[in-house]
Amino acid sequence: MTRQQFGFLAGFLLVAVWLLGGAGAAAAATLAGLAGWLLVRALDGDVTVPGFADRVGRR
């Protein structure tokens, strides 16, 4: 699946959840998806505490 196809699918599903469950359900689904994405990135080793601290630290 390409990034464009995945983006289309994610947008389509978000609108479908919004229509069926309302704005609150769509917001909850979006937050759950973002949390899952962050968890998978952390488990894959793409997100580390030192790397995150470098991004939000002093410049």
Side-chain angles (χ1 to χ4, degrees):
M1 179 179 288
T2 66
R3 288 180 185 238
Q4 289 84 9
Q5 290 171 330
F6 182 76
F8 174 81
L9 180 62
F12 180 82
L13 291 176
L14 179 62
V15 171
V17 168
W18 190 334
L19 289 174
L20 295 174
T30 301
L31 290 176
L34 288 173
W37 174 79
L38 184 60
L39 177 66
V40 169
R41 296 275 312 225
L43 291 175
D44 285 346
D46 292 336
V47 177
T48 60
V49 174
F52 184 70
D54 289 343
R55 290 179 183 242
V56 297
R58 290 184 273 169
R59 293 181 188 215

